[in-house]
Amino acid sequence: MSRRTWLWTGVLAALALSLLANFFLAGLLLGQRANPGAAQARLALRAMLADAPPELRPQLRRSLFAERRALGAELRGAAQARARIAALLEAPEPPERAQLEAAFAELQARHAAGQRVLHAALIDAILASDRETRQRWAQNWRRPRAGAALRSLETPAPRTGAAGPAAAPRP
């Protein structure tokens, strides 16, 4: 082959690689846009796995992988329920209480069903673990979670004076 043939072959190969990379990135962006909750769900699952003792993580991954379709259906259902709530909020007229209650009940039901799937995987891992592993894992379960943040909402708001809100001491 002549030098010119090699040059054209290289240019065409670079063009093909560039097109493939662009299609790949476009697919990623469209996938994120089509399922915006997927990244958040992956982060939550990674956090759950990170809390588990290392020797139980493979068991948890297998259990979650086996239930991926059920879990995905519940996550998609929760996203649809959130979209219905958003549509009610965006409507020109205030929504009726019954509509909001029904939409939030659907969201709660989807969250509860998704948690049942996650909890079943956790139960399988707990039952497969030895006493020492369970005791180590118990320490992670004792750490404060979102409930601690919710309890902080119950504390009274700082009083405001003429100069504005009181400065809260930083930890």
Side-chain angles (χ1 to χ4, degrees):
M1 279 190 182
S2 70
R3 184 174 178 181
R4 182 175 275 173
T5 306
W6 281 108
L7 182 63
W8 278 109
T9 303
V11 167
L12 289 176
L15 180 62
L17 286 173
S18 175
L19 283 172
L20 285 173
N22 284 323
F23 283 131
F24 176 75
L25 290 174
L28 279 177
L29 291 174
L30 289 174
Q32 287 292 335
R33 190 166 288 191
N35 193 2
Q40 187 177 12
R42 278 193 302 274
L43 287 175
L45 289 174
R46 283 188 186 134
M48 185 181 82
L49 286 170
D51 274 352
E55 60 270 23
L56 289 182
R57 291 177 192 161
Q59 166 69 32
L60 274 173
R61 279 191 188 95
R62 282 191 300 273
S63 294
L64 290 171
F65 185 78
E67 295 298 329
R68 71 188 181 283
R69 291 192 201 295
L71 190 55
E74 297 308 332
L75 290 173
R76 284 187 298 279
Q80 290 168 353
R82 282 191 303 276
R84 280 193 289 280
I85 292 168
L88 288 170
L89 295 173
E90 292 171 340
E93 296 296 319
E96 293 184 22
R97 182 175 195 87
Q99 291 174 309
L100 285 170
E101 287 175 349
F104 276 102
E106 174 66 18
L107 181 61
Q108 289 171 349
R110 293 302 190 148
H111 283 167
Q115 280 200 334
R116 280 192 295 274
V117 172
L118 292 174
H119 291 170
L122 289 170
I123 289 169
D124 290 343
I126 290 167
L127 293 175
S129 65
D130 59 18
R131 184 172 188 272
E132 179 184 320
T133 302
R134 288 192 307 274
Q135 287 179 341
R136 280 197 335 267
W137 205 0
Q139 298 308 310
N140 290 346
W141 282 93
R142 292 186 195 284
R143 287 195 324 238
R145 298 278 194 244
L150 292 176
R151 283 191 297 280
S152 71
L153 295 176
E154 297 170 359
T155 60
R159 294 183 185 201
T160 59
R170 293 200 172 252

